[in-house]
Every structure is written in structure tokens, then in C-alpha cells.
Amino acid sequence: MCGIVGYIGDKNCVPILINGLKRLEYRGYDSAGIAVIFDHNSQIVKNKGKVSLLEDKLESLHLFSNLGIGHTRWATHGIPNELNAHPHFNSEKNLYVIHNGIIENYQTLKKGLQKLGYEFITQTDSEVLPHLIDSFLKKGNSLFKSVQLSLNEVEGTYGIAVVYEKEPDKIIAARKGSPLVLGIGENENFVASDVSAILSHTKQIVYLEDGDIIQVFKDHFSAKTILDKDIEKEIHEITMTLDEIDKGGYSHFMLKEIMEQPESVRNSMRGRILFDEGTSKLGGLENVAEALAASNRIIISACGTSWHAGLVGKYMLEQFTRIPTEVEYASEFRYRNPIINKGDTIFFISQSGETADTLASLKESKMRGALALGICNVVGSSIARESNAGVYTHAGPEIGVASTKAFTSQLVVLSLITLLIARKKYMSIVDGKSIAEELSKIPDKIAEILKLNDQIEEIAEVFKEAKNFLYLGRGYNFPVALEGALKLKEISYIHAEGYPAAEMKHGPIALIDENMPAVFIAPKDSTYDKIISNIQEVKARRGKIIAVASQCDNEIDKIVDYTIKIPDTIRILMPLLTVIPLQLLAYHIAVKKGLNVDQPRNLAKSVTVE
Ligand code: G6P
């Protein structure tokens, strides 16, 4: 979603801002802009579209400045165009603001400012900020005070950075509900919505909390709350390297991330399996493990792919812990006045740890006294910090908008949590050990499936022109069917639906003809015979069938058109294997259609607005 980067120091900020914005491109955006301050003067440059176009524009201007802010916008209020792009400014054009989030009371604020004579030129909610700040500056306040007072009038969410010609020694930055970090350098400092924007310059990071406001000078900073309380901020050392963020020789981040899965799932389980005891050790849950095992009910709240992981988690938890488990779309959960009882534990699954709906559902649940546990990938993210306790997935940075390795790591963590609880309840050490053993074999099995890449690419060639796809699975593989369909939709723009295979006859079967490919997830498990019947039903209607099947299954090839043979594992872990071919199938179809796989249209990596 929107990205923020800011610089103050001795160097020319223009290339630093542009490189920072390029690092944020993966979040999804539709326009970009920067504002720089120099010699008590300023310059703003914006455009619709890519950061590279902004860079081209800037080249001819030969700007040199030690202070500036840059932004990538993903439209919420007002269409994506140059006018609505950030930074926004006051009428004198000497004060510039970039903003992530949504100002909910902007209409009221705008009317008040218009009465004072302020003229608005954009359709955005964000434009109220420079005018509001300006109104406080006109009353004789400093920039810091003016921003602080303004934010006290704002309802909604924000991560902001502000610069002002008349106070050219500082950036003011603040956050509420939208991530923001400060990067500490030598005689230079940075602000950013995401550490990856500034990681090539510094690894010393200060995370802003909701309600924090900071003054950033080139050689120091100070922090308060917007209610003017003094606060101390801790500096964290980041271990993530830029190499980890680069494409690593693959043509797309998504392919790199699919191929990384043997390693990423290994990292998710590293040091967490206690083989001798047939259980797991999750440092982040140690203090709450007893309460977790004693839960009367578990709720999992998430969005998108993380929600699909949650649905697999429900199958795992209910089968082995016998704790009733519900899976909720965070957006529904937060608004429908959910019943939360004493003894309920709620997991919030989020790759980014910043998804607005998941974060809001977490806050609501905490307010009602539930034990709120996070399962996040991004360390230090809002959900990770707001939850009572939690587990990091350790999948490494995921840049491709369509989530792949984060999903499999979420499944690993959910299986570890299941082991942890189940062993405290009904599971025997023998059963625990066998799950632990099987889990440790998953990385090698994923590596084996990845060797089928060329075969899957050939299948993609056959089906790349299809207009619709059906994905069908049963039990643990029903959520995988949903995830397979989502992957295809997201990046190839082909309409695809995931269904529990048996539900096909209650609707989707009407769609089947020779133009309708159906992907069946049909490993040899207890529902195998049933799924073969479903396959026959599609075949009888001349549907084209791709099956993800067990290596040992020699019969299925006789019925279906294409088979992708994968190794076996126990049912609880099957989704970790069956999802891999579906990720590759979606990837190759999208590439063959010439689409932007890493940044699909209309989608954002991190959805920090509702
Ligand atoms: C967006 C992304 C999806 C992701 C979902 C939830 O829609 O494009 O890939 O699954 O948000 O994101 P989260 O970071 O909370 O897992």
C-alpha cells in the first residue's frame, strides 16, 4: 500500500528518496512524489504511475537538497492522478506532508478550514493535513507543536512525515495505525513506512508506536506522544540484509519465494521441534502455554491467504486438541459484535502484521479480555507488538504481492502450536513423535515437488487461455483449493473458484464443459475414493482435469488429463505439499499471459486501510 521515506543529513536526498521509494514499490501503488527543501526554498515533483517516471522527471531538474520526503500512493480517496499524489502542501507551498492511512473526519476538518479561507485542490483526505498544520503555524506555534495539535483533531489512521521551509533542520513524523520507523545514521537520519526502504543506509531502527510523534534532526531526534508526554525510544539493530530482499537470480520475486520454501519452512521449524518429547517449543508462547491449552474455544482471525492458513489451522486444532476452533475474516469479526468469552484464545495470522482489519480485530478482542496471540512474519510489526504473545513465522521478507512462502510457514507454525497444545492434552508421545518426524521431512519433500517446475510449466501452457478454473479438495485440502484458486485469480486475472469437492454438485457442476479446467487435490488419504467419484463426475461432463496426486497412485492417470505426482505425508501436513504445485501453476500461467506477477493490478501487499 502507500509508502513513506524521508531523509535529513549531509547528502543529496533525491537519489536516497528515489531508491527508498523503489524499495517500497512491492507494496503496490499508483502514483509517486517527493518534496525537497533547500536554501529556505522548496520543490515538489509528482507523477501518476511508476517511480521510474518520477526519476526521469527529476533527472532534468538537477536538484540538490539535504532534506526531503517521498511517497508512493495507493488511491483511497480520489482517483490516482498527479494532483492527488503526495506530498500535499499548504497554499504558500512551503509546508509538505506525506500521509499513509485514512483521515475519517476529513470532511468536517475540510469544512472548518474552508471557512477560514483555505482552498483545497485535491480530492484526497490527506490534503486537510497541510492546511490544518498551517492554521496552527499561523497562530505562532512551532512546526512540531502545529503537527501535534493537528493530530489531536484528526480521527482515523496515519503515518505521516512533514517538512517545512521555515524550519529546514527537521522532519516531523508521527503514527497511528499505519507503520512508521526512524532509521539512525551517522550525521543523517531517515524515516520510512518499512525498513526495507532505508536498510541500505542503516540497520539502527526505532519503531514508532501509535500516538508517537518525533522530531528528526540530522544528528539526533526527540520523541513525545501526540498528547505531549515525554517518551524514551529504544534503538533496535536489524539483522535482515538487502540480499534477502533481492530477487536472487529469479525472474520474479514470486518464483524466488516459491523456490525458497524448503529453506523458509525449515527456518519456521528450526529449534522448535522437541523430537524426544514429540512436541514443540515456542519461546513466544511459553508464558501463555497453559492458558492456551486450557482454552474453551479458539478463534482465528485473518485476511486473504492468512485466512486460508487459519482454515487449515482449524482442521489441525480440532482434530488433535479437540478445542472448538472458528476461523473468521477479520473484517467481519471486527464489526459483527462477536461473542468473546472468558477462556477464549484468539490467533491473529498476518504475514505483514499490518493488515488493518486484522489489527483492528486484535484491538477489539484485547479490549474484551481475550488472550490475543499473533502469528506474524514481519518482526516488530504492529500485530506482533500489539498481541499478548505470539510466534514469528520466520519465512523471511516476502515481496511478491501474492503470498506463497508466508503461507507454508504459517502452516508450519500452526502445526507446531497444534503439537504443543495436543501434547498437553490428549496426544500420546508416540503420536507426537511421529508428527514431529514427519514435519522435519517436509522441507526435502517440498524440494522434490519443486523439481516438477518444468512439467507444471507445460501444463500452464495448455491452460493459459482458460477463462475459468475450478479448484476442488476435501478435508485438509479444501483450504488448499481455496488458496490455489486465489493464487490464480490474483496474478493471472482468470476467474477461479475453490470449493469443497463434494459441494461441486450443489452448484459449480453446472459450469462444467470442455472449456472448464478443474484442479483436483487428490492425494491418497481417507477421502481418496470420494474424490475419485467427484473426478468422474467432471469427466462425464467433458471437463479437463488436472490432479495433484500421490506418487504411489498409478490409477489416477487413467482418469484425469494431467497429473502432478507429489510425495506422501500425514494428512495434517499434506497442505504444505499440495499447495506447492498450485503456486507454480498460477505463476506460470500469469507469466505466459505476460502479466506483472509481482505487482498484480489493483492488489497491495500490505492492506493497511479498510
Ligand atoms: C493482501 C495480500 C495477500 C494477503 C492479505 C493478508 O490482500 O495481497 O497476499 O494474504 O493481504 O495479508 P497479511 O499480511 O495480513 O497476511
Side-chain angles (χ1 to χ4, degrees):
M1 198 133 301
C2 306
I4 285 179
V5 59
Y7 175 84
I8 183 162
D10 295 328
K11 296 180 191 144
N12 184 9
C13 69
V14 177
I16 294 172
L17 297 179
I18 289 296
N19 288 335
L21 292 181
K22 284 184 176 170
R23 282 273 163 211
L24 296 174
E25 283 190 300
Y26 75 92
R27 293 169 64 95
Y29 70 104
D30 45 53
S31 55
I34 69 166
V36 297
I37 307 277
F38 51 92
D39 306 331
H40 292 273
N41 216 324
S42 59
Q43 173 93 40
I44 179 166
V45 185
K46 316 198 273 187
N47 70 265
K48 185 181 173 194
K50 295 283 164 199
V51 174
S52 54
L53 298 174
L54 180 71
E55 190 176 20
D56 293 346
K57 260 190 185 176
L58 283 162
E59 213 155 277
S60 56
L61 295 173
H62 304 292
L63 290 175
F64 187 98
S65 154
N66 303 131
L67 170 64
I69 53 177
H71 190 264
T72 47
R73 171 176 189 252
W74 189 80
T76 57
H77 294 64
I79 55 165
N81 63 13
E82 186 172 322
L83 194 64
N84 288 333
H86 297 219
H88 293 290
F89 43 84
N90 61 348
S91 308
E92 279 107 332
K93 235 182 176 181
N94 59 12
L95 169 82
Y96 299 90
V97 181
I98 50 181
H99 167 232
N100 288 356
I102 290 177
I103 311 236
E104 283 163 13
N105 61 338
Y106 82 101
Q107 298 279 22
T108 318
L109 292 171
K110 189 170 172 177
K111 275 188 200 134
L113 288 160
Q114 279 168 330
K115 275 190 194 144
L116 295 174
Y118 284 96
E119 279 177 27
F120 285 73
I121 56 171
T122 79
Q123 303 154 327
T124 66
D125 54 330
S126 308
E127 198 191 359
V128 297
L129 287 171
H131 295 311
L132 190 59
I133 297 166
D134 183 276
S135 71
F136 285 107
L137 285 168
K138 296 253 156 62
K139 290 180 188 148
N141 294 294
S142 67
L143 178 63
F144 179 82
K145 200 74 208 161
S146 300
V147 176
Q148 197 184 36
L149 291 168
S150 301
L151 294 180
N152 277 297
E153 297 201 2
V154 164
E155 287 166 21
T157 55
Y158 52 80
I160 59 163
V162 187
V163 289
Y164 182 35
E165 264 179 30
K166 293 189 179 169
E167 295 188 35
D169 60 341
K170 63 177 77 84
I171 301 173
I172 308 292
R175 84 159 264 179
K176 186 184 157 204
S178 201
L180 207 65
V181 299
L182 162 67
I184 311 284
E186 284 279 322
N187 266 332
E188 58 183 5
N189 285 318
F190 307 82
V191 293
S193 51
D194 185 323
V195 280
S196 63
I198 55 176
L199 208 59
S200 57
H201 305 287
T202 179
K203 293 191 183 314
Q204 307 288 317
I205 300 294
V206 174
Y207 293 102
L208 268 68
E209 301 290 335
D210 280 354
D212 287 358
I213 175 166
I214 53 172
Q215 294 201 79
V216 187
F217 303 88
K218 76 170 189 180
D219 49 8
H220 68 285
F221 75 97
S222 63
K224 286 200 173 218
T225 69
I226 64 160
L227 298 174
D228 208 37
K229 276 199 206 127
D230 289 324
I231 43 170
E232 289 291 320
K233 299 301 295 180
E234 205 183 319
I235 299 175
H236 298 262
E237 172 91 24
I238 291 287
T239 49
M240 191 164 73
T241 64
L242 268 181
D243 282 354
E244 286 180 77
I245 304 179
D246 281 333
K247 279 189 198 143
Y250 290 101
S251 37
H252 298 95
F253 282 113
M254 183 178 176
L255 184 60
K256 170 179 175 269
E257 287 155 9
I258 292 173
M259 292 298 177
E260 265 170 10
Q261 286 176 107
E263 198 49 35
S264 55
V265 300
R266 199 171 274 128
N267 288 339
S268 306
M269 57 182 92
R270 200 182 293 282
R272 291 171 160 178
I273 304 178
L274 300 179
F275 290 98
D276 289 344
E277 290 150 53
T279 186
S280 66
K281 179 179 160 48
L282 296 165
L285 296 184
E286 248 156 41
N287 292 335
V288 297
E290 295 308 322
L292 174 58
S295 307
N296 296 325
R297 182 173 65 145
I298 292 175
I299 299 171
I300 300 173
S301 171
C303 304
T305 289
S306 297
W307 187 89
H308 294 155
L311 197 53
V312 178
K314 171 188 164 77
Y315 281 81
M316 294 176 172
L317 288 161
E318 289 198 334
Q319 183 182 355
F320 293 103
T321 73
R322 308 307 296 157
I323 301 174
T325 303
E326 291 163 26
V327 190
E328 295 265 6
Y329 288 110
S331 54
E332 290 297 312
F333 186 61
R334 64 182 287 200
Y335 283 119
R336 67 170 181 75
N337 193 13
I339 299 166
I340 298 173
N341 297 316
K342 207 164 173 279
D344 287 348
T345 295
I346 312 187
F347 281 102
F348 299 87
I349 308 181
S350 175
Q351 185 287 128
S352 61
E354 303 294 350
T355 302
D357 283 321
T358 313
L359 183 58
S361 69
L362 161 62
K363 288 181 178 163
E364 179 71 17
S365 308
K366 262 175 70 183
M367 205 258 296
R368 294 173 183 226
L371 176 61
L373 306 178
I375 300 177
C376 297
N377 192 37
V378 177
V379 175
S381 56
S382 300
I383 293 171
R385 283 179 293 126
E386 291 273 343
S387 39
N388 298 123
V391 187
Y392 283 120
T393 48
H394 296 318
E398 188 179 69
I399 308 293
V401 166
S403 185
T404 52
K405 66 175 182 168
F407 177 72
T408 42
S409 286
Q410 288 164 346
L411 297 185
V412 169
V413 165
L414 285 162
S415 67
L416 292 169
I417 293 171
T418 303
L419 258 189
L420 182 76
I421 306 175
R423 285 286 291 119
K424 284 183 188 291
K425 300 191 81 172
Y426 318 108
M427 188 183 279
S428 69
I429 186 163
V430 178
D431 290 347
K433 274 183 170 180
S434 86
I435 293 178
E437 286 295 334
E438 276 299 324
L439 187 56
S440 69
K441 291 181 194 153
I442 290 292
D444 289 343
K445 291 183 180 180
I446 293 179
E448 216 180 307
I449 299 169
L450 292 172
K451 290 189 191 139
L452 303 176
N453 188 32
D454 291 347
Q455 186 212 340
I456 295 167
E457 188 178 350
E458 283 167 23
I459 300 174
E461 180 64 34
V462 178
F463 290 102
K464 65 179 187 209
E465 301 302 341
K467 297 278 175 278
N468 299 286
F469 256 85
L470 202 54
Y471 285 72
L472 300 157
R474 300 179 82 115
Y476 279 97
N477 286 313
F478 158 51
V480 176
L482 296 180
E483 176 60 10
L486 178 65
K487 286 289 87 77
L488 191 71
K489 275 188 272 222
E490 282 179 311
I491 58 170
S492 74
Y493 317 144
I494 294 174
H495 169 244
E497 292 200 49
Y499 255 87
E503 274 292 304
M504 182 183 66
K505 58 185 167 295
H506 299 293
I509 199 162
L511 303 171
I512 291 169
D513 61 16
E514 65 276 18
N515 299 316
M516 178 71 149
V519 179
F520 276 92
I521 305 151
K524 280 249 179 189
D525 63 17
S526 55
T527 59
Y528 179 74
D529 292 341
K530 305 244 177 266
I531 212 151
I532 290 294
S533 308
N534 300 136
I535 289 175
Q536 296 287 13
E537 285 157 14
V538 172
K539 196 176 157 66
R541 287 158 185 84
R542 289 175 295 130
K544 292 279 173 302
I545 302 166
I546 305 164
V548 176
S550 300
Q551 273 166 353
C552 62
D553 184 355
N554 296 321
E555 293 304 304
I556 199 164
D557 309 70
K558 295 176 194 155
I559 325 171
V560 307
D561 298 280
Y562 299 89
T563 25
I564 303 166
K565 295 284 186 72
I566 62 166
D568 264 326
T569 185
I570 49 177
R571 279 178 66 209
I572 172 178
L573 302 177
M574 210 65 211
L576 278 158
L577 303 185
T578 49
V579 75
I580 309 289
L582 307 188
Q583 296 170 342
L584 284 170
L585 183 65
Y587 170 78
H588 286 300
I589 290 178
V591 170
K592 286 180 189 299
K593 291 174 88 73
L595 298 171
N596 186 343
V597 175
D598 285 331
Q599 288 170 34
R601 69 182 182 202
N602 305 341
L603 295 178
K605 181 69 186 155
S606 177
V607 183
T608 50
V609 293
E610 274 187 66

